Amino acid sequence: MSQHPNSPIVVWISLILWLISVLAILWSLILFFYVSDILFLTGTDLVNAVVLLTAIIMLPPNFYQLQAIANGNKIELHTANVFCCRLWTCIVWVIILNVFGIIVCIMRIFSCEEVTSSYLTNSIKQYRTVPKHRQFIDKLQWSLGCCGLKSYKDWFSQDWHDKLRDFEWISTNDRNTNSINGVETDSVPFSCCKSGSCVSSYLKELGNHSINTRGCFNIVHSCIIVSIIMHLIMFIIVILLEILLLKHIMHKENKVIGFKKFGNKFNIRHIMSVNDNFDASSDSYVINEEDSEIDSSNAYCGEK
């Protein structure tokens, strides 16, 4: 059984990188299709875009590596073409994009608290007037079981109602100027309810037992930080694996090149030249004339 031209480490790294690229593409597309509004409104869309771009660029070189391994061919860094680039160029670009992803993740971690608070506050303020923000807040409060920014009481100071259904006793002028006159409503959106139906109005009199009372900020902030850290770890792992892959392939190539140079340098033809077209009947085979005569006489006696 012939030995495989690629080392087991190269084979395993290629397989792991291919799996990471496929899973990263699927994960990024799922996030874009199902929670795109949350990504855009929380400022994590850039991180997800970098993940998707990196995974797409990783896929062709990883596919070439697996194809070469499956066919029993050696992975060539400097001669193999992946589309219009050499394999080593593709790997270098993958490393650069992952470094950029690390920078974006670190920037998002440091600015996450401020950006998240700003987006949530702005969405709550525009809950009544902008349908996009209404859908975002309702989906967020339903899925995470939270209400308001820091507490459900944040809704009391917001003019989020479409109608005066929960506080008919307040005039329209008072409703439009409630922030000035200090008028507060003790009502929250229905997305704050623990179940499909609950008491979401007159909470000061009836109590808040049927609604979620904890705020959404801490939950959203924690989810974003965990997501960014996971992406950061993925970028670091990909960089380490790509560098390790380059190291092992180049080490084996240098080993083969060094062996060829060693063989050419110590070729026996460089030590003693031999005439390949040497004629066996040539007189140059005769080393000593006396020995030649003795051999001839012995041969003659043998014939007799």
Side-chain angles (χ1 to χ4, degrees), residues 147 151-161 163-170 184-190 192 199-205 211:
C147 185
S151 170
Y152 72 99
K153 294 181 180 181
D154 294 330
W155 288 107
F156 293 179
S157 58
Q158 299 297 327
D159 184 22
W160 60 270
H161 295 76
K163 298 179 182 179
L164 300 177
R165 60 182 182 271
D166 293 327
F167 47 104
E168 292 85 356
W169 51 272
I170 300 178
E184 289 189 351
T185 61
D186 54 350
S187 302
V188 295
F190 285 110
C192 291
V199 178
S200 61
S201 303
Y202 305 107
L203 296 177
K204 292 180 180 179
E205 294 82 5
I211 66 168

PDB file of all heavy atoms in Angstrom, residues 147 151-161 163-170 184-190 192 199-205 211:
ATOM      1  N   CYS A 147     -39.471  43.099  28.730  1.00  0.00           N
ATOM      2  CA  CYS A 147     -40.371  44.231  28.506  1.00  0.00           C
ATOM      3  C   CYS A 147     -39.624  45.524  28.807  1.00  0.00           C
ATOM      4  O   CYS A 147     -39.090  45.705  29.909  1.00  0.00           O
ATOM      5  CB  CYS A 147     -41.613  44.105  29.392  1.00  0.00           C
ATOM      6  SG  CYS A 147     -42.866  45.371  29.117  1.00  0.00           S
ATOM      7  N   SER A 151     -36.653  48.092  32.358  1.00  0.00           N
ATOM      8  CA  SER A 151     -37.783  47.571  33.117  1.00  0.00           C
ATOM      9  C   SER A 151     -39.065  47.838  32.333  1.00  0.00           C
ATOM     10  O   SER A 151     -39.069  48.636  31.381  1.00  0.00           O
ATOM     11  CB  SER A 151     -37.854  48.232  34.499  1.00  0.00           C
ATOM     12  OG  SER A 151     -39.056  47.931  35.160  1.00  0.00           O
ATOM     13  N   TYR A 152     -40.124  47.167  32.700  1.00  0.00           N
ATOM     14  CA  TYR A 152     -41.406  47.384  32.032  1.00  0.00           C
ATOM     15  C   TYR A 152     -41.911  48.800  32.242  1.00  0.00           C
ATOM     16  O   TYR A 152     -42.720  49.318  31.446  1.00  0.00           O
ATOM     17  CB  TYR A 152     -42.426  46.373  32.547  1.00  0.00           C
ATOM     18  CG  TYR A 152     -42.907  46.619  33.960  1.00  0.00           C
ATOM     19  CD1 TYR A 152     -44.123  47.248  34.209  1.00  0.00           C
ATOM     20  CD2 TYR A 152     -42.149  46.224  35.063  1.00  0.00           C
ATOM     21  CE1 TYR A 152     -44.564  47.486  35.504  1.00  0.00           C
ATOM     22  CE2 TYR A 152     -42.567  46.448  36.350  1.00  0.00           C
ATOM     23  CZ  TYR A 152     -43.785  47.082  36.580  1.00  0.00           C
ATOM     24  OH  TYR A 152     -44.215  47.311  37.850  1.00  0.00           O
ATOM     25  N   LYS A 153     -41.445  49.473  33.268  1.00  0.00           N
ATOM     26  CA  LYS A 153     -41.880  50.839  33.553  1.00  0.00           C
ATOM     27  C   LYS A 153     -41.365  51.848  32.535  1.00  0.00           C
ATOM     28  O   LYS A 153     -41.829  53.000  32.519  1.00  0.00           O
ATOM     29  CB  LYS A 153     -41.437  51.245  34.956  1.00  0.00           C
ATOM     30  CG  LYS A 153     -42.114  50.455  36.067  1.00  0.00           C
ATOM     31  CD  LYS A 153     -41.663  50.923  37.439  1.00  0.00           C
ATOM     32  CE  LYS A 153     -42.349  50.138  38.551  1.00  0.00           C
ATOM     33  NZ  LYS A 153     -41.933  50.587  39.906  1.00  0.00           N
ATOM     34  N   ASP A 154     -40.411  51.443  31.708  1.00  0.00           N
ATOM     35  CA  ASP A 154     -39.927  52.347  30.655  1.00  0.00           C
ATOM     36  C   ASP A 154     -41.047  52.710  29.692  1.00  0.00           C
ATOM     37  O   ASP A 154     -41.007  53.791  29.075  1.00  0.00           O
ATOM     38  CB  ASP A 154     -38.772  51.697  29.896  1.00  0.00           C
ATOM     39  CG  ASP A 154     -37.537  51.504  30.761  1.00  0.00           C
ATOM     40  OD1 ASP A 154     -37.347  52.314  31.684  1.00  0.00           O
ATOM     41  OD2 ASP A 154     -36.786  50.544  30.530  1.00  0.00           O
ATOM     42  N   TRP A 155     -42.028  51.820  29.525  1.00  0.00           N
ATOM     43  CA  TRP A 155     -43.137  52.105  28.621  1.00  0.00           C
ATOM     44  C   TRP A 155     -44.083  53.165  29.188  1.00  0.00           C
ATOM     45  O   TRP A 155     -44.830  53.786  28.432  1.00  0.00           O
ATOM     46  CB  TRP A 155     -43.928  50.824  28.326  1.00  0.00           C
ATOM     47  CG  TRP A 155     -43.202  49.857  27.448  1.00  0.00           C
ATOM     48  CD1 TRP A 155     -42.637  48.676  27.815  1.00  0.00           C
ATOM     49  CD2 TRP A 155     -42.972  49.987  26.052  1.00  0.00           C
ATOM     50  NE1 TRP A 155     -42.061  48.051  26.736  1.00  0.00           N
ATOM     51  CE2 TRP A 155     -42.257  48.841  25.621  1.00  0.00           C
ATOM     52  CE3 TRP A 155     -43.295  50.958  25.096  1.00  0.00           C
ATOM     53  CZ2 TRP A 155     -41.865  48.638  24.315  1.00  0.00           C
ATOM     54  CZ3 TRP A 155     -42.910  50.761  23.780  1.00  0.00           C
ATOM     55  CH2 TRP A 155     -42.194  49.616  23.399  1.00  0.00           C
ATOM     56  N   PHE A 156     -44.074  53.371  30.484  1.00  0.00           N
ATOM     57  CA  PHE A 156     -45.014  54.320  31.089  1.00  0.00           C
ATOM     58  C   PHE A 156     -44.772  55.750  30.603  1.00  0.00           C
ATOM     59  O   PHE A 156     -45.716  56.551  30.517  1.00  0.00           O
ATOM     60  CB  PHE A 156     -44.903  54.279  32.614  1.00  0.00           C
ATOM     61  CG  PHE A 156     -45.364  52.985  33.231  1.00  0.00           C
ATOM     62  CD1 PHE A 156     -45.306  52.796  34.598  1.00  0.00           C
ATOM     63  CD2 PHE A 156     -45.860  51.964  32.437  1.00  0.00           C
ATOM     64  CE1 PHE A 156     -45.736  51.617  35.173  1.00  0.00           C
ATOM     65  CE2 PHE A 156     -46.300  50.773  33.006  1.00  0.00           C
ATOM     66  CZ  PHE A 156     -46.235  50.593  34.373  1.00  0.00           C
ATOM     67  N   SER A 157     -43.529  56.068  30.309  1.00  0.00           N
ATOM     68  CA  SER A 157     -43.187  57.431  29.884  1.00  0.00           C
ATOM     69  C   SER A 157     -43.111  57.576  28.370  1.00  0.00           C
ATOM     70  O   SER A 157     -42.675  58.613  27.867  1.00  0.00           O
ATOM     71  CB  SER A 157     -41.841  57.841  30.491  1.00  0.00           C
ATOM     72  OG  SER A 157     -40.819  56.938  30.099  1.00  0.00           O
ATOM     73  N   GLN A 158     -43.516  56.525  27.623  1.00  0.00           N
ATOM     74  CA  GLN A 158     -43.454  56.562  26.161  1.00  0.00           C
ATOM     75  C   GLN A 158     -44.858  56.657  25.576  1.00  0.00           C
ATOM     76  O   GLN A 158     -45.804  56.031  26.080  1.00  0.00           O
ATOM     77  CB  GLN A 158     -42.759  55.302  25.619  1.00  0.00           C
ATOM     78  CG  GLN A 158     -41.329  55.130  26.073  1.00  0.00           C
ATOM     79  CD  GLN A 158     -40.425  56.242  25.586  1.00  0.00           C
ATOM     80  OE1 GLN A 158     -40.618  56.783  24.488  1.00  0.00           O
ATOM     81  NE2 GLN A 158     -39.420  56.580  26.384  1.00  0.00           N
ATOM     82  N   ASP A 159     -44.984  57.431  24.519  1.00  0.00           N
ATOM     83  CA  ASP A 159     -46.260  57.581  23.815  1.00  0.00           C
ATOM     84  C   ASP A 159     -46.323  56.513  22.721  1.00  0.00           C
ATOM     85  O   ASP A 159     -46.103  56.783  21.552  1.00  0.00           O
ATOM     86  CB  ASP A 159     -46.357  58.991  23.217  1.00  0.00           C
ATOM     87  CG  ASP A 159     -47.703  59.243  22.562  1.00  0.00           C
ATOM     88  OD1 ASP A 159     -48.673  58.542  22.903  1.00  0.00           O
ATOM     89  OD2 ASP A 159     -47.766  60.138  21.705  1.00  0.00           O
ATOM     90  N   TRP A 160     -46.610  55.300  23.130  1.00  0.00           N
ATOM     91  CA  TRP A 160     -46.546  54.170  22.200  1.00  0.00           C
ATOM     92  C   TRP A 160     -47.910  53.724  21.706  1.00  0.00           C
ATOM     93  O   TRP A 160     -48.015  52.841  20.845  1.00  0.00           O
ATOM     94  CB  TRP A 160     -45.854  52.979  22.880  1.00  0.00           C
ATOM     95  CG  TRP A 160     -46.558  52.485  24.119  1.00  0.00           C
ATOM     96  CD1 TRP A 160     -46.351  52.907  25.385  1.00  0.00           C
ATOM     97  CD2 TRP A 160     -47.572  51.492  24.183  1.00  0.00           C
ATOM     98  NE1 TRP A 160     -47.167  52.238  26.251  1.00  0.00           N
ATOM     99  CE2 TRP A 160     -47.933  51.350  25.536  1.00  0.00           C
ATOM    100  CE3 TRP A 160     -48.223  50.694  23.242  1.00  0.00           C
ATOM    101  CZ2 TRP A 160     -48.911  50.464  25.969  1.00  0.00           C
ATOM    102  CZ3 TRP A 160     -49.186  49.807  23.658  1.00  0.00           C
ATOM    103  CH2 TRP A 160     -49.524  49.684  25.013  1.00  0.00           C
ATOM    104  N   HIS A 161     -49.038  54.282  22.202  1.00  0.00           N
ATOM    105  CA  HIS A 161     -50.370  53.835  21.837  1.00  0.00           C
ATOM    106  C   HIS A 161     -50.793  54.337  20.468  1.00  0.00           C
ATOM    107  O   HIS A 161     -50.445  55.452  20.075  1.00  0.00           O
ATOM    108  CB  HIS A 161     -51.407  54.308  22.866  1.00  0.00           C
ATOM    109  CG  HIS A 161     -51.227  53.707  24.217  1.00  0.00           C
ATOM    110  ND1 HIS A 161     -50.241  54.115  25.093  1.00  0.00           N
ATOM    111  CD2 HIS A 161     -51.924  52.717  24.856  1.00  0.00           C
ATOM    112  CE1 HIS A 161     -50.320  53.417  26.212  1.00  0.00           C
ATOM    113  NE2 HIS A 161     -51.342  52.566  26.095  1.00  0.00           N
ATOM    114  N   LYS A 163     -54.195  54.253  19.886  1.00  0.00           N
ATOM    115  CA  LYS A 163     -55.482  54.835  20.257  1.00  0.00           C
ATOM    116  C   LYS A 163     -55.479  55.138  21.752  1.00  0.00           C
ATOM    117  O   LYS A 163     -54.561  54.759  22.478  1.00  0.00           O
ATOM    118  CB  LYS A 163     -56.617  53.870  19.916  1.00  0.00           C
ATOM    119  CG  LYS A 163     -56.730  53.561  18.427  1.00  0.00           C
ATOM    120  CD  LYS A 163     -57.854  52.573  18.180  1.00  0.00           C
ATOM    121  CE  LYS A 163     -57.954  52.223  16.687  1.00  0.00           C
ATOM    122  NZ  LYS A 163     -59.028  51.243  16.434  1.00  0.00           N
ATOM    123  N   LEU A 164     -56.529  55.746  22.214  1.00  0.00           N
ATOM    124  CA  LEU A 164     -56.667  56.076  23.631  1.00  0.00           C
ATOM    125  C   LEU A 164     -57.438  54.990  24.372  1.00  0.00           C
ATOM    126  O   LEU A 164     -58.190  55.268  25.292  1.00  0.00           O
ATOM    127  CB  LEU A 164     -57.391  57.425  23.790  1.00  0.00           C
ATOM    128  CG  LEU A 164     -56.719  58.628  23.157  1.00  0.00           C
ATOM    129  CD1 LEU A 164     -57.595  59.857  23.341  1.00  0.00           C
ATOM    130  CD2 LEU A 164     -55.359  58.864  23.766  1.00  0.00           C
ATOM    131  N   ARG A 165     -57.249  53.727  23.940  1.00  0.00           N
ATOM    132  CA  ARG A 165     -58.102  52.661  24.461  1.00  0.00           C
ATOM    133  C   ARG A 165     -57.826  52.363  25.933  1.00  0.00           C
ATOM    134  O   ARG A 165     -58.695  51.863  26.645  1.00  0.00           O
ATOM    135  CB  ARG A 165     -57.892  51.383  23.641  1.00  0.00           C
ATOM    136  CG  ARG A 165     -56.465  50.860  23.650  1.00  0.00           C
ATOM    137  CD  ARG A 165     -56.332  49.610  22.779  1.00  0.00           C
ATOM    138  NE  ARG A 165     -54.976  49.078  22.812  1.00  0.00           N
ATOM    139  CZ  ARG A 165     -54.011  49.439  21.997  1.00  0.00           C
ATOM    140  NH1 ARG A 165     -54.249  50.372  21.095  1.00  0.00           N
ATOM    141  NH2 ARG A 165     -52.820  48.903  22.076  1.00  0.00           N
ATOM    142  N   ASP A 166     -56.592  52.631  26.393  1.00  0.00           N
ATOM    143  CA  ASP A 166     -56.244  52.253  27.745  1.00  0.00           C
ATOM    144  C   ASP A 166     -56.313  53.409  28.730  1.00  0.00           C
ATOM    145  O   ASP A 166     -56.201  53.202  29.924  1.00  0.00           O
ATOM    146  CB  ASP A 166     -54.829  51.663  27.785  1.00  0.00           C
ATOM    147  CG  ASP A 166     -54.783  50.332  27.042  1.00  0.00           C
ATOM    148  OD1 ASP A 166     -55.805  49.619  27.082  1.00  0.00           O
ATOM    149  OD2 ASP A 166     -53.750  50.044  26.430  1.00  0.00           O
ATOM    150  N   PHE A 167     -56.463  54.610  28.234  1.00  0.00           N
ATOM    151  CA  PHE A 167     -56.547  55.749  29.151  1.00  0.00           C
ATOM    152  C   PHE A 167     -57.421  56.842  28.532  1.00  0.00           C
ATOM    153  O   PHE A 167     -56.969  57.898  28.150  1.00  0.00           O
ATOM    154  CB  PHE A 167     -55.152  56.291  29.525  1.00  0.00           C
ATOM    155  CG  PHE A 167     -54.224  56.490  28.351  1.00  0.00           C
ATOM    156  CD1 PHE A 167     -53.963  57.759  27.862  1.00  0.00           C
ATOM    157  CD2 PHE A 167     -53.603  55.405  27.751  1.00  0.00           C
ATOM    158  CE1 PHE A 167     -53.111  57.951  26.796  1.00  0.00           C
ATOM    159  CE2 PHE A 167     -52.745  55.609  26.679  1.00  0.00           C
ATOM    160  CZ  PHE A 167     -52.500  56.877  26.203  1.00  0.00           C
ATOM    161  N   GLU A 168     -58.715  56.514  28.412  1.00  0.00           N
ATOM    162  CA  GLU A 168     -59.656  57.445  27.794  1.00  0.00           C
ATOM    163  C   GLU A 168     -59.791  58.734  28.577  1.00  0.00           C
ATOM    164  O   GLU A 168     -60.220  59.763  28.035  1.00  0.00           O
ATOM    165  CB  GLU A 168     -61.033  56.783  27.658  1.00  0.00           C
ATOM    166  CG  GLU A 168     -61.079  55.642  26.653  1.00  0.00           C
ATOM    167  CD  GLU A 168     -60.647  54.319  27.268  1.00  0.00           C
ATOM    168  OE1 GLU A 168     -60.245  54.347  28.462  1.00  0.00           O
ATOM    169  OE2 GLU A 168     -60.666  53.297  26.578  1.00  0.00           O
ATOM    170  N   TRP A 169     -59.462  58.686  29.834  1.00  0.00           N
ATOM    171  CA  TRP A 169     -59.634  59.873  30.671  1.00  0.00           C
ATOM    172  C   TRP A 169     -58.613  60.957  30.392  1.00  0.00           C
ATOM    173  O   TRP A 169     -58.731  62.071  30.867  1.00  0.00           O
ATOM    174  CB  TRP A 169     -59.573  59.475  32.154  1.00  0.00           C
ATOM    175  CG  TRP A 169     -58.373  58.649  32.488  1.00  0.00           C
ATOM    176  CD1 TRP A 169     -58.256  57.309  32.415  1.00  0.00           C
ATOM    177  CD2 TRP A 169     -57.125  59.132  32.968  1.00  0.00           C
ATOM    178  NE1 TRP A 169     -57.019  56.888  32.796  1.00  0.00           N
ATOM    179  CE2 TRP A 169     -56.289  58.006  33.152  1.00  0.00           C
ATOM    180  CE3 TRP A 169     -56.611  60.397  33.262  1.00  0.00           C
ATOM    181  CZ2 TRP A 169     -54.983  58.095  33.609  1.00  0.00           C
ATOM    182  CZ3 TRP A 169     -55.310  60.484  33.721  1.00  0.00           C
ATOM    183  CH2 TRP A 169     -54.511  59.350  33.884  1.00  0.00           C
ATOM    184  N   ILE A 170     -57.564  60.626  29.593  1.00  0.00           N
ATOM    185  CA  ILE A 170     -56.555  61.628  29.245  1.00  0.00           C
ATOM    186  C   ILE A 170     -56.950  62.280  27.931  1.00  0.00           C
ATOM    187  O   ILE A 170     -57.241  61.600  26.955  1.00  0.00           O
ATOM    188  CB  ILE A 170     -55.162  61.012  29.120  1.00  0.00           C
ATOM    189  CG1 ILE A 170     -54.749  60.360  30.435  1.00  0.00           C
ATOM    190  CG2 ILE A 170     -54.146  62.036  28.695  1.00  0.00           C
ATOM    191  CD1 ILE A 170     -53.400  59.691  30.377  1.00  0.00           C
ATOM    192  N   GLU A 184     -48.028  60.058  32.958  1.00  0.00           N
ATOM    193  CA  GLU A 184     -47.560  58.718  32.664  1.00  0.00           C
ATOM    194  C   GLU A 184     -48.744  57.772  32.551  1.00  0.00           C
ATOM    195  O   GLU A 184     -49.774  57.957  33.213  1.00  0.00           O
ATOM    196  CB  GLU A 184     -46.601  58.226  33.741  1.00  0.00           C
ATOM    197  CG  GLU A 184     -45.256  58.909  33.732  1.00  0.00           C
ATOM    198  CD  GLU A 184     -44.269  58.236  34.671  1.00  0.00           C
ATOM    199  OE1 GLU A 184     -44.712  57.360  35.428  1.00  0.00           O
ATOM    200  OE2 GLU A 184     -43.086  58.580  34.622  1.00  0.00           O
ATOM    201  N   THR A 185     -48.611  56.776  31.682  1.00  0.00           N
ATOM    202  CA  THR A 185     -49.622  55.745  31.537  1.00  0.00           C
ATOM    203  C   THR A 185     -49.067  54.446  32.092  1.00  0.00           C
ATOM    204  O   THR A 185     -47.908  54.112  31.854  1.00  0.00           O
ATOM    205  CB  THR A 185     -49.987  55.550  30.059  1.00  0.00           C
ATOM    206  OG1 THR A 185     -48.834  55.138  29.356  1.00  0.00           O
ATOM    207  CG2 THR A 185     -50.514  56.846  29.469  1.00  0.00           C
ATOM    208  N   ASP A 186     -49.865  53.713  32.811  1.00  0.00           N
ATOM    209  CA  ASP A 186     -49.400  52.463  33.401  1.00  0.00           C
ATOM    210  C   ASP A 186     -49.793  51.282  32.518  1.00  0.00           C
ATOM    211  O   ASP A 186     -50.417  50.316  32.976  1.00  0.00           O
ATOM    212  CB  ASP A 186     -49.954  52.297  34.818  1.00  0.00           C
ATOM    213  CG  ASP A 186     -51.464  52.426  34.861  1.00  0.00           C
ATOM    214  OD1 ASP A 186     -52.047  52.834  33.822  1.00  0.00           O
ATOM    215  OD2 ASP A 186     -52.059  52.124  35.904  1.00  0.00           O
ATOM    216  N   SER A 187     -49.446  51.378  31.227  1.00  0.00           N
ATOM    217  CA  SER A 187     -49.753  50.327  30.256  1.00  0.00           C
ATOM    218  C   SER A 187     -48.489  49.939  29.499  1.00  0.00           C
ATOM    219  O   SER A 187     -47.556  50.738  29.353  1.00  0.00           O
ATOM    220  CB  SER A 187     -50.826  50.798  29.267  1.00  0.00           C
ATOM    221  OG  SER A 187     -51.999  51.167  29.940  1.00  0.00           O
ATOM    222  N   VAL A 188     -48.475  48.697  28.993  1.00  0.00           N
ATOM    223  CA  VAL A 188     -47.348  48.178  28.205  1.00  0.00           C
ATOM    224  C   VAL A 188     -47.906  47.476  26.976  1.00  0.00           C
ATOM    225  O   VAL A 188     -49.088  47.099  26.950  1.00  0.00           O
ATOM    226  CB  VAL A 188     -46.499  47.188  29.036  1.00  0.00           C
ATOM    227  CG1 VAL A 188     -45.833  47.892  30.209  1.00  0.00           C
ATOM    228  CG2 VAL A 188     -47.328  46.004  29.504  1.00  0.00           C
ATOM    229  N   PRO A 189     -47.113  47.290  25.924  1.00  0.00           N
ATOM    230  CA  PRO A 189     -47.585  46.553  24.743  1.00  0.00           C
ATOM    231  C   PRO A 189     -47.935  45.104  25.087  1.00  0.00           C
ATOM    232  O   PRO A 189     -47.446  44.539  26.064  1.00  0.00           O
ATOM    233  CB  PRO A 189     -46.396  46.629  23.790  1.00  0.00           C
ATOM    234  CG  PRO A 189     -45.615  47.806  24.239  1.00  0.00           C
ATOM    235  CD  PRO A 189     -45.777  47.863  25.723  1.00  0.00           C
ATOM    236  N   PHE A 190     -48.779  44.500  24.250  1.00  0.00           N
ATOM    237  CA  PHE A 190     -49.192  43.120  24.489  1.00  0.00           C
ATOM    238  C   PHE A 190     -48.036  42.134  24.353  1.00  0.00           C
ATOM    239  O   PHE A 190     -48.115  41.007  24.837  1.00  0.00           O
ATOM    240  CB  PHE A 190     -50.321  42.742  23.528  1.00  0.00           C
ATOM    241  CG  PHE A 190     -51.647  43.344  23.891  1.00  0.00           C
ATOM    242  CD1 PHE A 190     -52.201  44.340  23.102  1.00  0.00           C
ATOM    243  CD2 PHE A 190     -52.332  42.935  25.017  1.00  0.00           C
ATOM    244  CE1 PHE A 190     -53.417  44.912  23.433  1.00  0.00           C
ATOM    245  CE2 PHE A 190     -53.553  43.493  25.362  1.00  0.00           C
ATOM    246  CZ  PHE A 190     -54.099  44.487  24.566  1.00  0.00           C
ATOM    247  N   CYS A 192     -45.447  42.250  25.872  1.00  0.00           N
ATOM    248  CA  CYS A 192     -44.860  42.064  27.206  1.00  0.00           C
ATOM    249  C   CYS A 192     -45.568  40.976  28.007  1.00  0.00           C
ATOM    250  O   CYS A 192     -45.112  40.618  29.105  1.00  0.00           O
ATOM    251  CB  CYS A 192     -44.921  43.375  28.002  1.00  0.00           C
ATOM    252  SG  CYS A 192     -43.824  44.675  27.390  1.00  0.00           S
ATOM    253  N   VAL A 199     -53.293  41.097  31.547  1.00  0.00           N
ATOM    254  CA  VAL A 199     -53.625  42.462  31.930  1.00  0.00           C
ATOM    255  C   VAL A 199     -52.409  43.327  31.645  1.00  0.00           C
ATOM    256  O   VAL A 199     -51.386  43.241  32.334  1.00  0.00           O
ATOM    257  CB  VAL A 199     -54.021  42.541  33.417  1.00  0.00           C
ATOM    258  CG1 VAL A 199     -54.305  43.986  33.803  1.00  0.00           C
ATOM    259  CG2 VAL A 199     -55.227  41.664  33.698  1.00  0.00           C
ATOM    260  N   SER A 200     -52.498  44.139  30.587  1.00  0.00           N
ATOM    261  CA  SER A 200     -51.374  44.999  30.214  1.00  0.00           C
ATOM    262  C   SER A 200     -51.645  46.463  30.489  1.00  0.00           C
ATOM    263  O   SER A 200     -50.806  47.309  30.174  1.00  0.00           O
ATOM    264  CB  SER A 200     -51.038  44.805  28.732  1.00  0.00           C
ATOM    265  OG  SER A 200     -52.156  45.158  27.924  1.00  0.00           O
ATOM    266  N   SER A 201     -52.807  46.785  31.052  1.00  0.00           N
ATOM    267  CA  SER A 201     -53.160  48.167  31.368  1.00  0.00           C
ATOM    268  C   SER A 201     -53.524  48.287  32.847  1.00  0.00           C
ATOM    269  O   SER A 201     -53.828  47.287  33.502  1.00  0.00           O
ATOM    270  CB  SER A 201     -54.342  48.628  30.509  1.00  0.00           C
ATOM    271  OG  SER A 201     -54.041  48.492  29.134  1.00  0.00           O
ATOM    272  N   TYR A 202     -53.466  49.533  33.347  1.00  0.00           N
ATOM    273  CA  TYR A 202     -53.781  49.805  34.757  1.00  0.00           C
ATOM    274  C   TYR A 202     -52.947  48.913  35.688  1.00  0.00           C
ATOM    275  O   TYR A 202     -53.453  48.286  36.617  1.00  0.00           O
ATOM    276  CB  TYR A 202     -55.274  49.608  35.031  1.00  0.00           C
ATOM    277  CG  TYR A 202     -56.162  50.425  34.131  1.00  0.00           C
ATOM    278  CD1 TYR A 202     -56.880  49.805  33.118  1.00  0.00           C
ATOM    279  CD2 TYR A 202     -56.265  51.800  34.286  1.00  0.00           C
ATOM    280  CE1 TYR A 202     -57.690  50.547  32.277  1.00  0.00           C
ATOM    281  CE2 TYR A 202     -57.076  52.548  33.459  1.00  0.00           C
ATOM    282  CZ  TYR A 202     -57.786  51.924  32.452  1.00  0.00           C
ATOM    283  OH  TYR A 202     -58.585  52.660  31.611  1.00  0.00           O
ATOM    284  N   LEU A 203     -51.658  48.834  35.370  1.00  0.00           N
ATOM    285  CA  LEU A 203     -50.781  47.918  36.110  1.00  0.00           C
ATOM    286  C   LEU A 203     -50.557  48.379  37.543  1.00  0.00           C
ATOM    287  O   LEU A 203     -50.291  47.549  38.417  1.00  0.00           O
ATOM    288  CB  LEU A 203     -49.431  47.808  35.384  1.00  0.00           C
ATOM    289  CG  LEU A 203     -49.498  47.194  33.974  1.00  0.00           C
ATOM    290  CD1 LEU A 203     -48.122  47.217  33.330  1.00  0.00           C
ATOM    291  CD2 LEU A 203     -50.034  45.784  34.023  1.00  0.00           C
ATOM    292  N   LYS A 204     -50.662  49.677  37.791  1.00  0.00           N
ATOM    293  CA  LYS A 204     -50.461  50.154  39.159  1.00  0.00           C
ATOM    294  C   LYS A 204     -51.592  49.696  40.076  1.00  0.00           C
ATOM    295  O   LYS A 204     -51.367  49.434  41.261  1.00  0.00           O
ATOM    296  CB  LYS A 204     -50.361  51.685  39.166  1.00  0.00           C
ATOM    297  CG  LYS A 204     -49.101  52.208  38.501  1.00  0.00           C
ATOM    298  CD  LYS A 204     -49.065  53.729  38.535  1.00  0.00           C
ATOM    299  CE  LYS A 204     -47.802  54.262  37.872  1.00  0.00           C
ATOM    300  NZ  LYS A 204     -47.743  55.749  37.865  1.00  0.00           N
ATOM    301  N   GLU A 205     -52.799  49.606  39.520  1.00  0.00           N
ATOM    302  CA  GLU A 205     -53.931  49.157  40.322  1.00  0.00           C
ATOM    303  C   GLU A 205     -54.085  47.644  40.317  1.00  0.00           C
ATOM    304  O   GLU A 205     -54.362  47.027  41.357  1.00  0.00           O
ATOM    305  CB  GLU A 205     -55.229  49.797  39.814  1.00  0.00           C
ATOM    306  CG  GLU A 205     -55.311  51.293  40.000  1.00  0.00           C
ATOM    307  CD  GLU A 205     -54.599  52.071  38.913  1.00  0.00           C
ATOM    308  OE1 GLU A 205     -54.104  51.435  37.949  1.00  0.00           O
ATOM    309  OE2 GLU A 205     -54.493  53.315  39.017  1.00  0.00           O
ATOM    310  N   ILE A 211     -47.395  39.982  33.243  1.00  0.00           N
ATOM    311  CA  ILE A 211     -46.459  40.489  32.225  1.00  0.00           C
ATOM    312  C   ILE A 211     -45.027  40.184  32.651  1.00  0.00           C
ATOM    313  O   ILE A 211     -44.744  39.865  33.808  1.00  0.00           O
ATOM    314  CB  ILE A 211     -46.619  42.009  32.010  1.00  0.00           C
ATOM    315  CG1 ILE A 211     -46.200  42.763  33.279  1.00  0.00           C
ATOM    316  CG2 ILE A 211     -48.029  42.357  31.585  1.00  0.00           C
ATOM    317  CD1 ILE A 211     -46.053  44.255  33.066  1.00  0.00           C
TER     318      ILE A 211
END
